[in-house]
Amino acid sequence: MNDKATAADGPLPRQLDFFEKGWGVDVFLTFTIDEKSSFNPSISFTPPILDGVARYPGGIIGKASQSQAQSLGAQVSSQANRVDKLHIFYTIADLAYGGRFPSRKELEQTDCITKNASGTLFLSSDLKFHEWFRAIVKLQVFKQGNLDQKNSFATQGVIAHNIKFQIVSTGNYTPSWKLVEFSANTSNSPFLSATRDRTQEIDITMGPLAESGGLKQKALNTILASELRSSLNSVFRLNQ
């Protein structure tokens, strides 16, 4: 996933230097793949039977149709789930001055995946993080809030952003026959079916740095909540 941000709005104002000097960012990536397949054959035997003789009220005797049917069916299904998680941590100073992170221009001109990605479908889109971050910054720019005052957003705040892409591929195949004495696969269930559900999720959490060099507890709690939500989602998907 690659954030195609819009044009830059210029550098941050000086009163927001705390972002670059005292904040960090944790990027949490979750890649989930669910695969389901099922096999549902069915056969019905309907041998022809001659009409019988029935006595109706009033002593009337007449023919009555008769039928016989025997059905045989089976159902086999399988389900697989794979979850890959990745945490990446940077300080804002590393991103701005560390010299080990590509420039914004380089990022915008570089594809997020190579051409030989084995057919894996990754999405390159505008994650809207740039707009979200700028909306917060403008509170200070337009003097609608003082983010760097003591014990306020600069030292206790958290910025969180979540994006999830889901790609679902489904297919089924049902051959059917209906002959004189038997029929096959005439039910509503598909004979063969397969589903592949791929989810790519990214959580970006920004917050002030603790003395240990990592994020402060409030930001860590936000990251923990993201991990818990991701784990619960995996459990719910398995039980669907």
Side-chain angles (χ1 to χ4, degrees), residues 32-77:
T32 305
I33 297 178
D34 289 319
E35 294 182 341
K36 300 178 183 179
S37 59
S38 63
F39 175 58
N40 303 284
S42 63
I43 299 177
S44 297
F45 296 93
T46 54
I49 298 178
L50 294 175
D51 291 341
V53 177
R55 182 182 298 274
Y56 296 99
I60 300 176
I61 299 176
K63 291 183 178 181
S65 61
Q66 301 182 108
S67 64
Q68 179 184 2
Q70 300 179 22
S71 298
L72 179 65
Q75 183 176 15
V76 180
S77 62

Side-chain angles (χ1 to χ4, degrees), residues 1 28-32 162-165 199-203 226 229-230 233:
M1 291 177 286
F28 177 38
L29 297 170
T30 305
F31 301 96
T32 305
N162 172 267
I163 296 292
K164 180 165 67 174
F165 295 104
T199 301
Q200 303 166 13
E201 186 172 7
I202 179 171
D203 288 278
S226 299
R229 183 195 66 242
S230 176
N233 286 340

Side-chain angles (χ1 to χ4, degrees), residues 19-215:
F19 278 118
E20 297 180 355
K21 296 179 180 179
W23 274 46
V25 55
D26 181 273
V27 180
F28 177 38
L29 297 170
T30 305
F31 301 96
T32 305
I33 297 178
D34 289 319
E35 294 182 341
K36 300 178 183 179
S37 59
S38 63
F39 175 58
N40 303 284
S42 63
I43 299 177
S44 297
F45 296 93
T46 54
I49 298 178
L50 294 175
D51 291 341
V53 177
R55 182 182 298 274
Y56 296 99
I60 300 176
I61 299 176
K63 291 183 178 181
S65 61
Q66 301 182 108
S67 64
Q68 179 184 2
Q70 300 179 22
S71 298
L72 179 65
Q75 183 176 15
V76 180
S77 62
S78 64
Q79 181 175 354
N81 174 268
R82 188 181 78 192
V83 180
D84 297 322
K85 299 180 180 181
L86 175 65
H87 268 289
I88 305 173
F89 176 77
Y90 295 102
T91 65
I92 303 301
D94 286 338
L95 297 181
Y97 308 114
R100 59 183 178 84
F101 196 76
S103 66
R104 176 173 177 166
K105 184 176 181 180
E106 291 174 331
L107 285 174
E108 292 177 344
Q109 294 177 350
T110 303
D111 291 335
C112 60
I113 58 173
T114 59
K115 294 182 180 179
N116 58 345
S118 303
T120 301
L121 184 56
F122 283 84
L123 295 183
S124 177
S125 182
D126 184 0
L127 303 183
K128 301 298 182 182
F129 179 75
H130 179 262
E131 288 82 353
W132 173 227
F133 181 72
R134 283 291 172 178
I136 297 173
V137 169
K138 286 178 179 179
L139 293 175
Q140 180 77 41
V141 175
F142 296 135
K143 299 181 179 180
Q144 296 175 338
N146 188 6
L147 303 183
D148 62 347
Q149 65 182 352
K150 185 178 180 180
N151 296 325
S152 66
F153 185 81
T155 57
Q156 301 296 329
V158 177
I159 298 176
H161 193 65
N162 172 267
I163 296 292
K164 180 165 67 174
F165 295 104
Q166 187 171 14
I167 309 103
V168 180
S169 306
T170 303
N172 61 74
Y173 171 69
T174 304
S176 61
W177 299 270
K178 191 171 184 180
L179 305 179
V180 175
E181 295 191 11
F182 81 94
S183 59
N185 302 325
T186 57
S187 63
N188 294 326
S189 300
F191 178 67
L192 289 173
S193 66
T195 301
R196 183 179 174 89
D197 186 348
R198 288 163 287 179
T199 301
Q200 303 166 13
E201 186 172 7
I202 179 171
D203 288 278
I204 302 173
T205 305
M206 297 177 63
L209 297 173
E211 294 181 359
S212 61
L215 296 176

